[in-house]
């Protein structure tokens, strides 16, 4: 199954700065904006920044995943999330969450990699 993009999820502390999460999000948007990235998604707890010239070049900053039991370390978008899930289950990988259809238009699951990192594997619906 082809991979569409891989996005690191950079943790930020909840309540950082005088404006809390919103201030931390603004500070990160400003900092990464200096590198040429622009905000393409912001749900309050996660914000994704991307390169306007190469939209698949992205990073996300997040306080915590508010819809799952753990916060993933990275996200991997694949063309077929169910095929990825099947392959990982067959290989004996630890599924941490899902699969689940989320209200913002993705189907996803979390899996733990051999290093203990949690990977958010997703497809857009």
């Amino acid at each position: 199954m082809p991979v569409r993009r891989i996005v690191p999820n950079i943790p930020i502390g909840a309540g950082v700065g005088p404006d809390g999460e919103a201030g931390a999000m603004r500070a990160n948007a400003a900092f990464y904006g200096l590198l040429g990235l622009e905000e393409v998604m912001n749900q309050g707890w996660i914000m994704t920044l991307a390169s306007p010239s190469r939209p698949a070049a992205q990073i996300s900053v997040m306080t915590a995943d508010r819809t799952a039991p753990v916060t993933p370390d990275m996200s991997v978008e694949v063309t077929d999330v169910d095929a990825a899930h099947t392959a990982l289950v067959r290989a004996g990988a630890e599924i941490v969450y899902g699969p689940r259809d989320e209200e913002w238009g993705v189907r996803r699951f979390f899996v733990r990699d051999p290093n203990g990192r949690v990977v958010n594997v997703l497809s857009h619906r």
Side-chain angles (χ1 to χ4, degrees), residues 1-100:
M1 82 217 64
V3 171
R4 292 189 172 155
R5 65 188 167 122
I6 298 173
V7 181
N9 296 326
I10 300 169
I12 57 174
V16 173
D19 295 332
E21 290 178 9
M25 291 293 182
R26 283 193 302 277
N28 276 275
F31 175 82
Y32 288 106
L34 296 171
L35 296 174
L37 300 178
E38 296 178 353
E39 182 180 314
V40 295
M41 180 195 72
N42 190 334
Q43 295 197 31
W45 55 272
I46 182 171
M47 176 178 60
T48 301
L49 304 151
S51 166
S53 61
R54 293 185 176 233
Q58 300 181 351
I59 61 167
S60 290
V61 293
M62 66 183 344
T63 56
D65 193 312
R66 291 194 182 152
T67 62
V70 297
T71 299
D73 297 293
M74 65 187 288
S75 297
V76 177
E77 182 182 1
V78 296
T79 57
D80 186 341
V81 73
D82 292 313
H85 182 265
T86 297
L88 287 161
V89 167
R90 284 186 182 149
E94 178 189 354
I95 304 301
V96 180
Y97 172 75
R100 180 179 166 150

